[in-house]
């Protein structure tokens, strides 16, 4: 599973970076999303992979870290998802505004 | 203690007065000038009150801790020298305020003028009273700043704007040098405290850093006091209102430079470096300024160059390094301030009453204003150094010092000749000022018929001229003690013997004075034909203009070189920049792989892969690669494929024990897709062209480069991820969270407890970011018109609308409504269901996957569905969402919950928890984290809905192409 996830992260990130370097704004948005998935999965993977061990306690229990998946990267990724959403929204609006004002969807605001 | 508070009042009072004056209405000329008068008069009074203590105690110090850790205290210090300057600043300030009351026209904004003038006065007081070098530099720069504002007071006048800019550029650049110089001195001495610095003269002179520190300090002083070659800004500063010229640019601010030289005289002067740096600068300024003054056609220009020349004289005296010369310098500072301020005021009166200050137009004014004329004549005679006036005494001392031997060098030996030459010039320009203005034939074509000014406008000149006379006739009784105190403080040791008498017998200096007076008269008479032509530039120096040189330097520095640099090193193309960033990241990432062997496989056994997981990721990879491939021409396909990749991510989270992440990811995925779909229609249509199908070699090369970069990033991340995942997890801070999540946080969902409790502050910041983003989106789209649609309406919609149009009983859009009837009904019915679900997700959040953020998005999806079902108008007819209030309420609630902890004496966001039993529902956790989470929930609903609505509303607006006339 580690191998597969590692490859998956790499491919997502590669596809994301490729799109990020393209000249059209829409490509950049999609690229950011893909790169965002890759980075979130990467951070998440830093807590190592566990199957069927969600970090949810029984009531009244002092948790034992060995029994659960690491909750810290999860909390970080949760934050990252939210910020990623905000960034996508803002970027989309900037794209729309740039398109409206410059008449092009090139990232530089003009065709070359 | 009382005296020390008085010192503080001297600095604080003007600033307070400035503040009060600045809020007065524009037309409140009298109120503003009265406030300013009250402030300046009280400052003068306070200064006088301080005199006995200054004389008795040597130096009086007020100290307040400011940044003691870096040796920076708010120290004010009054000794004889500072006292003399404070007296000049406050006394002449009071006279200038009185004068300005009549000078400033009623249509000018008087409060702004007086507010700036008072603020300048405060800054100048700060300079002269500072007991700390850093503080001194701070006030020094403040004076430059207020001088800038005051020169540019008539900002509709381009000359004023340019003059202000030039003055600020030159003096502030000098201030920067001075700052570094002060830091160097502070570094050498080990303290910035002036008393300590003044006592450390030998240490400073012995230090290897003495020369750099000296040069930097001199740069500061020379720019401020308009010494050659930095003198050119002062004549351009004459675009300021005349009270400003009288106050800042003759009596006080330009004296700051020589004040500094006098202040640091005991620690910097007396060396060869000092002599050979200061004396030539002062000498050049003295002679050049006096020479140029003769040929000015503008009254104020003449006075400005004369000021430059006199400042050069003072600098030269200080540069000589002998205590006697320093006494003469201090004496001349005082005398020059008195006669030059009165001359400026006289020039201002002439300008005010005749409408011009051009010497070519003025003549014979004596018959109209005999009183002002007589006063100006006395002051000009003082400037020329006529006996029985104050200027004569200090000039005599200057001549005596010029004759005296200092270093025995050629420069030293030539001083008497240059001094006499400058004396001749100064007599000539004084004569020109008086004769050209007041005598000769009656003036023709003046803009106004001149007459005497108002009684009180003349009073400051009268007072100053009386002082000129008093000092000139009875120097020992009037100015003797003050001068002795000031000079003693400047020299820092016992004073040598000097005599202030008017008559010293037949001496060499007297002979020089006589030569100067006679030579000046002869020079003026012989130059009259040349002057009558009214050329703008003096003989021998035609074509040399400081302003042109300055402008060229500025142009080269700030435009030509900057542009060249930008073209050499910069780019405005985002792709290039991003490529560099990614390239640098790849390099930085691969370095540890290569040098530290970080890419090795770890010892932790890998989890066996299940076939379903393999299949899942096969789909995921296909989606990602497909999206990358399709994003250029098939946006919708790319969006769908990205959604696929997102879902794979989501399933992976569930699979690997992260239900919270999966839930959030899924919800965010939905909203993001809707968002992008809404925006998609305004992107331009893209059809593959010939170029796209057969890309050129350059394009292929660029793509290849990007592909290599992308593959490098992918491989790098894969290798890192694998390397980390195959190593066992070390002990981390996670243990803390896992162990205490329930015991202290009161929740079983550890991730949620971390977010709303342990790291609640992060979450607070995060929702604030969300809030800011939503507001930005709202603000950007509020008055925005989108580009025109990239596609015409689809075939089906056109047919439907045409059908509606034809039928008499149908409106356009009815068919669409009919078509959507059942989905619409379903979506409407879903509304309450989704709300309940959102509440459910919210309430279980502390113990089970869910929480405020997920619930917020669920609820916003409910709103989105209503918009989709009924259209923007339809949805808003039934439903009024006020997203801004949701957001505000949410942020407030989260903040207040956090602040609630203060009430119980705990830090921000400390939480409290307990369970409450409710009928039917059972035990629910009531932690203080709950209202916090509720705030998160409310804010997320508001922000998401605000963004979506802002985008949706764009479809209601006409595009930019079809703008309604007059609608801006």
């Amino acid at each position: 599973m580690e191998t597969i996830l590692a490859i998956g992260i790499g491919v997502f990130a590669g596809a994301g970076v490729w799109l990020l370097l393209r000249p059209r704004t829409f490509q950049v948005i999609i690229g950011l999303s893909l790169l965002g998935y890759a980075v979130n999965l990467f951070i998440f993977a830093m807590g190592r992979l566990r199957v069927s061990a969600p970090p949810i306690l029984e009531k009244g229990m002092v948790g034992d870290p060995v029994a659960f998946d690491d909750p810290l990267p999860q909390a970080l990724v949760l934050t990252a998802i939210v910020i990623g959403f905000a960034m996508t929204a803002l970027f989309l609006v900037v794209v729309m505004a740039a398109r409206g004002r410059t008449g092009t969807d090139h990232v530089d605001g003009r065709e070359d | 203690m009382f005296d020390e508070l008085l010192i503080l009042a001297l600095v604080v009072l003007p600033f307070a007065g400035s503040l009060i004056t600045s809020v007065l209405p524009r037309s409140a000329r009298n109120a503003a000038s009265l406030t300013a008068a009250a402030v300046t008069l009280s400052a003068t009074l306070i200064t006088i009150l301080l005199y006995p203590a200054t004389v008795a105690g040597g130096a009086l110090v007020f100290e307040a801790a400011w940044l003691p850790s870096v040796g920076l205290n708010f120290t004010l210090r009054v000794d004889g020298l500072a006292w003399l300057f404070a007296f000049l600043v406050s006394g002449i300030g009071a006279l200038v305020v009185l004068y300005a009351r009549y000078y400033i026209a009623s249509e000018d904004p008087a409060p702004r003028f007086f507010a700036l003038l008072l603020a300048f006065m405060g800054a100048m007081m700060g300079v002269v009273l500072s007991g700390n070098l850093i503080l001194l530099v701070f006030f020094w720069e403040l004076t430059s700043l207020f001088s800038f504002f005051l020169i540019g007071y008539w900002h509709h006048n381009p000359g004023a704007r340019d003059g202000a800019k030039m003055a600020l550029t030159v003096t502030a650049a000098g201030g920067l040098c001075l700052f570094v110089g002060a830091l160097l001195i502070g570094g050498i001495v080990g303290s910035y405290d002036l008393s300590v610095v003044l006592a450390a003269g030998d240490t400073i002179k012995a230090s290897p850093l003495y020369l750099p520190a000296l040069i930097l300090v001199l740069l500061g002083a020379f720019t401020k006091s308009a010494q050659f070659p930095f003198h050119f800004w002062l004549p351009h500063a004459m675009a300021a209102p005349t009270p400003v010229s009288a106050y800042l640019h003759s009596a006080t601010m330009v004296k700051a430079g020589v004040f500094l030289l006098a202040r640091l005289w005991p620690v910097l002067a007396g060396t060869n470096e000092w002599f050979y740096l200061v004396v030539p600068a002062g000498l050049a300024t003295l002679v050049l300024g006096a020479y140029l003054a003769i040929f000015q056609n503008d009254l104020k220009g003449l006075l400005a160059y004369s000021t430059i020349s006199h400042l050069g004289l003072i600098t030269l005296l200080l540069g000589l390094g002998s205590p006697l010369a320093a006494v003469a310098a201090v004496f001349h500072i005082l005398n020059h301030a008195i006669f030059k301020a009165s001359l400026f005021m006289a020039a201002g009166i002439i300008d005010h009453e005749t409408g011009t200050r051009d010497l070519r137009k003025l003549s014979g004014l004596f018959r109209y204003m005999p009183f002002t004329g007589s006063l100006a004549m006395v002051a000009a005679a003082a400037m020329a150094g006529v006996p029985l006036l104050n200027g004569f005494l200090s000039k005599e001392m200057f001549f005596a010092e010029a004759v005296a031997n200092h270093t025995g060098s050629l420069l030293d030996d030539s001083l008497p000749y240059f001094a006499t030459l400058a004396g001749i010039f100064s007599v000539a320009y004084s004569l020109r000022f008086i004769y050209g203005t007041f005598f000769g034939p009656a003036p023709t074509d003046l803009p106004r018929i001149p007459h005497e000014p108002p009684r009180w406008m003349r009073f400051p000149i009268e007072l100053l001229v009386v002082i000129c006379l008093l000092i000139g006739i009875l120097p020992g009784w009037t100015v003797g003690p003050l001068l002795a105190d000031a000079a003693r403080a400047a020299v820092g040791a016992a004073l040598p013997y000097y005599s202030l008498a008017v008559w010293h017998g037949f001496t060499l200096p007297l002979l020089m004075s006589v030569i100067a007076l006679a030579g000046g008269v002869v020079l003026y008479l012989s130059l009259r034909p040349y002057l009558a032509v009214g050329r703008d530039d003096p003989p021998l120096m035609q074509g040399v203009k400081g302003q042109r040189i300055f402008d060229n330097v500025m142009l080269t520095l700030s435009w030509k070189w900057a542009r060249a640099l930008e073209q050499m090193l910069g780019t405005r193309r985002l792709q290039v920049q991003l490529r560099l960033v990614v390239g640098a990241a790849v390099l930085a990432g691969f370095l540890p792989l290569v040098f530290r062997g970080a890419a090795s496989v770890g010892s932790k056994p890998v989890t066996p892969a299940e076939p379903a997981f393999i299949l899942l990721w096969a789909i995921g990879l296909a989606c990602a690669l497909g999206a990358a491939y399709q994003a250029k021409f098939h946006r919708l396909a790319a969006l769908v494929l990205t959604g696929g990749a997102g879902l794979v991510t989501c399933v992976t989270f569930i699979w690997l024990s992260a239900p919270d992440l999966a839930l959030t990811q899924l919800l965010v995925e939905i909203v993001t897709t809707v968002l992008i779909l809404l925006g998609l229609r305004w992107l331009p249509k893209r059809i593959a062209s010939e170029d796209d199908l057969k890309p050129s070699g350059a394009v292929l090369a660029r793509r290849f480069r990007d592909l290599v970069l992308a593959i490098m990033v992918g491989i790098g991340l894969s290798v890192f991820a694998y390397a980390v995942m195959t190593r066992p997890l070390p002990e981390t801070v996670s243990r803390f969270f896992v162990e205490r999540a329930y015991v202290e946080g009161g929740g079983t969902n550890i991730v949620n407890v971390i977010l709303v409790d342990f790291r609640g502050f992060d979450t607070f910041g995060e929702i604030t970011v969300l809030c800011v983003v939503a507001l930005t989106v709202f603000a950007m789209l509020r008055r925005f018109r989108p580009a025109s649609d990239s596609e015409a309406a689809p075939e089906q919609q056109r047919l439907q609308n045409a059908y509606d149009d034809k039928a008499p009983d149908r409106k356009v859009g009815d068919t669409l409504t009919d078509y959507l009837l059942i989905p619409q009904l379903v979506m409407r019915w879903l509304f309450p269901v989704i709300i309940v679900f959102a509440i459910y997700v919210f309430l279980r959040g502390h113990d089970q996957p869910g929480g405020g953020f997920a619930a917020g998005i669920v609820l916003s999806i409910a709103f989105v569905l209503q918009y989709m079902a009924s259209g923007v108008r339809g949805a808003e007819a039934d439903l009024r969402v006020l997203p801004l209030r949701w957001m505000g309420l949410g942020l407030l609630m989260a903040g207040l919950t956090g602040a609630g902890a203060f009430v119980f004496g705990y830090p921000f966001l400390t939480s409290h928890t307990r369970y409450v039993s409710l009928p039917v529902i059972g035990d629910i956790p009531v932690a203080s984290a709950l209202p916090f989470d509720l705030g998160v929930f409310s804010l997320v609903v508001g922000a998401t809905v605000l963004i979506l609505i802002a985008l949706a509303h764009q479809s209601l607006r006409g595009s930019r192409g079809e703008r309604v006339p007059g609608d801006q």
Side-chain angles (χ1 to χ4, degrees), chain B residues 738-755:
Chain B
V738 176
E739 282 176 355
R740 304 187 189 206
Y742 188 81
V743 188
E744 292 183 13
T748 54
N749 179 357
I750 305 176
V751 175
N752 184 273
V753 175
I754 291 178
L755 286 178

Side-chain angles (χ1 to χ4, degrees), chain B residues 544-561:
Chain B
V544 183
K545 280 228 165 73
Q547 185 186 15
R548 200 176 309 150
I549 299 170
F550 174 81
D551 284 347
N552 279 337
V553 169
M554 291 314 281
L555 187 73
T556 311
L557 276 180
S558 67
W559 183 245
K560 289 188 188 153
W561 287 7

Side-chain angles (χ1 to χ4, degrees), chain A residues 1-15 17-27 29-30 33-35 37-42 44-66 68-75 77-83 85-90 92-101 103-108 110-112, chain B residues 572-575 578-579 582 606-609 613-614 617 620-621 624-625 628 631-632 635 642 645-646 649 652-653 655-661 664-665 668-669 671-672 675-676 680 682-684 686 703 706-707 709-710 713-714 717-718 720-722 724-725 727-730 733-735 737-739 741-743 748 750-751 754-755 766 769-770 773 776-777 780-781 784 787 847-849 853 915 944 947 951 954 960:
Chain A
M1 281 188 123
E2 277 83 353
T3 322
I4 292 170
L5 189 61
I7 294 173
I9 291 174
V11 172
F12 274 24
V17 168
W18 161 261
L19 283 176
L20 216 56
L21 297 173
R22 297 298 90 216
R24 302 292 152 192
T25 49
F26 183 76
Q27 292 174 307
I29 293 194
I30 296 292
S33 292
L34 288 177
L35 193 61
Y37 298 146
V39 171
N40 285 349
L41 283 168
F42 181 81
F44 173 66
M46 294 301 102
R48 311 300 188 269
L49 307 189
R50 296 284 293 265
V51 180
S52 312
I56 292 171
L57 303 166
E58 295 295 317
K59 288 204 169 165
M61 164 181 161
V62 175
D64 176 12
V66 182
F68 303 102
D69 192 44
D70 193 349
L72 187 62
Q74 293 197 19
V77 172
L78 200 67
T79 313
I81 293 175
V82 179
I83 298 289
F85 164 66
M87 192 179 66
T88 308
L90 187 62
L92 184 74
V93 173
V94 171
V95 164
M96 278 179 58
R99 155 77 175 134
R101 287 184 201 286
T104 160
D105 66 338
H106 194 284
V107 287
D108 288 337
R110 54 177 178 173
E111 303 286 336
D112 33 1
Chain B
R572 297 190 178 188
R573 308 181 64 90
L574 293 177
Q575 281 174 280
L578 205 56
R579 218 169 268 144
V582 174
V606 292
T607 331
F613 195 71
I614 299 176
W617 271 96
L621 299 193
L625 294 175
K632 187 163 188 186
R635 299 200 182 102
T642 314
T649 310
T652 307
F653 284 143
W655 205 302
L656 298 171
S657 322
D660 266 301
L661 295 191
T664 314
Q665 175 81 55
V668 163
E669 205 59 46
V671 180
T672 311
L675 214 64
I676 298 183
L680 217 49
W682 288 296
L683 288 176
R686 182 151 295 283
R703 286 190 190 159
D706 290 350
L707 189 66
L709 263 181
V713 170
L717 265 185
S718 283
F720 270 127
Y722 191 73
V724 174
M725 283 190 283
R727 286 174 165 76
L729 186 66
V733 69
S734 296
R735 171 177 289 279
F737 296 128
V738 176
E739 282 176 355
Y742 188 81
V743 188
T748 54
I750 305 176
V751 175
I754 291 178
L755 286 178
E766 184 195 348
V769 170
L770 201 60
V773 167
T776 313
V777 169
M780 279 176 77
L781 292 184
F784 181 72
D847 285 349
Q848 296 292 319
F853 188 78
Y915 278 80
T944 317
I947 296 173
L951 275 168
Q954 295 296 307
R960 310 196 128 223

